[in-house]
Amino acid sequence: MSSASTPSKAPSLLKMSINPPSPVPVLAIDGPTASGKGTIAQRVAQALGFHYLDSGALYRLTALAATRAGLNLDDASAVQPVAVALEVHFSHDGHILLAGQDVTEAIRTEAAGQGASRVAVHPPVRAALLELQRNFRQPPGLVADGRDMGTVVFPDAPLKVFLTASAESRAQRRYKQLIEKGIPANLSTLLQDLLERDARDQSRATAPLVPAEGAFVLDSTHLDIQQTVGQVLEQWAARR
Ligand code: DC
C-alpha cells in the first residue's frame, strides 16, 4: 500500500515546493474617516463574492470594551490586554457581538469613533489586532477596509485603494447618515471632530494613515456610490 502511494505523491510534493499556492487575493481600501470606505468596500465585496473585513470595528470594539472596564484609553498597557482578549463575532446578517452582547449600534457613535482613534495610536494594541485581521483572509478573497490595510496588514494585496473626499463633503455625508437614523447632529461639530481624528490618524508614529505605495487614489468628492464602486471594480479587473 505504502509503496503504491509513494510515486503518485512525490511529483505533487515537488510541484508544491516549486510553485507555492498563490495567496488568497485581498483588495485593500484605506482612507480617512467618513470617506465612505465601509459602504464601498461592502458593495465591492458583494460584487466579487469576497469576504469583508471592517477593521475599524475592531478598534471601536477595543475602545468600547476598555471604556466599559473603566480603563484609561490613553494608557497603552491597560488597553493592550483588552485587544488581546477581544471576544468578537461578526454575524452574517451584519450584527457585531462583543462577548455575546449585540454592540452593532453602540460602536457606531461618534464617541466610540473618537475612542477607537485614541486606542489605535498604541503600537501594542495594533500588534494585538494584527493576527485577528489576517485571519479574515479566506477563499475566495477579501475586501478589507481601514487605515493600514495596504501598508501594514496586507502589504501584498494586488490592489490598494486610497479612498478620500474633501473634509466638508465627508462631514456632510456623516451628518446626513445620522439625521436619517434619527440621531441629532451638528454639522460644524462633526467637521471639527472629523478634522481632529484625521490629524490623529495621520500623525501617529505607528501605521499612520497614508496611501500605500502604488495605491490607486480615488477622490469621491464628486462621485456617487455606484460610480465609486465602478472605478474600484475597474481597477481590480485591470490588475487581475
Ligand atoms: O473606520 P472607522 O471610522 O470605523 O475607524 C475608527 C478608528 O479606528 C479610526 O479613527 C482610526 C482607527 N483605525 C485604525 O487605526 N486602523 C484601521 N485599520 C482602522 C481603524
Side-chain angles (χ1 to χ4, degrees):
M1 281 285 283
S2 60
S3 63
S5 62
T6 306
S8 65
K9 267 188 179 170
S12 69
L13 277 178
L14 186 68
K15 207 170 141 202
M16 269 179 66
S17 64
I18 294 169
N19 282 324
S22 57
V24 174
V26 177
L27 197 166
I29 303 185
D30 291 304
T33 194
S35 58
K37 297 182 311 291
T39 307
I40 303 304
Q42 283 178 63
R43 302 233 182 159
V44 169
Q46 209 170 13
L48 296 173
F50 282 10
H51 299 282
Y52 166 60
L53 166 63
D54 170 6
S55 65
L58 301 177
Y59 290 92
R60 288 169 180 265
L61 286 159
T62 303
L64 184 71
T67 303
R68 287 184 173 177
L71 303 173
N72 173 3
L73 299 187
D74 301 318
D75 181 347
S77 55
V79 179
Q80 188 261 2
V82 175
V84 170
L86 209 59
E87 210 184 297
V88 51
H89 177 73
F90 291 88
S91 72
H92 288 293
D93 59 4
H95 283 256
I96 301 176
L97 305 184
L98 177 63
Q101 194 192 347
D102 193 330
V103 293
T104 318
E105 294 293 323
I107 62 161
R108 293 296 156 203
T109 63
E110 289 305 299
Q114 284 287 353
S117 177
R118 277 165 68 195
V119 300
V121 302
H122 307 313
V125 169
R126 304 198 71 84
L129 296 178
L130 202 53
E131 200 188 326
L132 185 57
Q133 294 173 85
R134 289 184 175 152
N135 286 342
F136 280 81
R137 188 174 195 165
Q138 299 290 337
L142 176 70
V143 178
D145 103 53
R147 302 293 187 288
D148 60 345
M149 298 298 96
T151 49
V152 176
V153 183
F154 304 109
D156 63 336
L159 175 60
K160 300 169 185 181
V161 176
F162 191 81
L163 185 64
T164 187
S166 71
E168 288 71 20
S169 71
R170 288 185 284 130
Q172 279 280 1
R173 287 176 192 171
R174 177 60 50 87
Y175 177 78
K176 206 167 150 244
Q177 271 174 0
L178 291 171
I179 296 298
E180 276 169 8
K181 282 189 196 165
I183 302 170
N186 176 293
L187 189 58
S188 59
T189 312
L190 280 174
L191 178 60
Q192 206 181 323
D193 284 357
L194 190 143
L195 291 172
E196 205 180 292
R197 269 171 68 185
D198 278 0
R200 196 189 291 122
D201 294 347
Q202 285 162 356
S203 65
R204 66 179 176 226
T206 308
L209 172 68
V210 286
E213 212 185 307
F216 170 60
V217 179
L218 181 51
D219 184 336
S220 71
T221 306
H222 303 293
L223 300 177
D224 64 20
I225 293 174
Q226 226 174 333
Q227 290 168 323
T228 312
V229 169
Q231 292 220 15
V232 174
L233 290 173
E234 226 173 77
Q235 288 293 320
W236 181 254
R239 286 173 204 218
R240 298 302 292 164

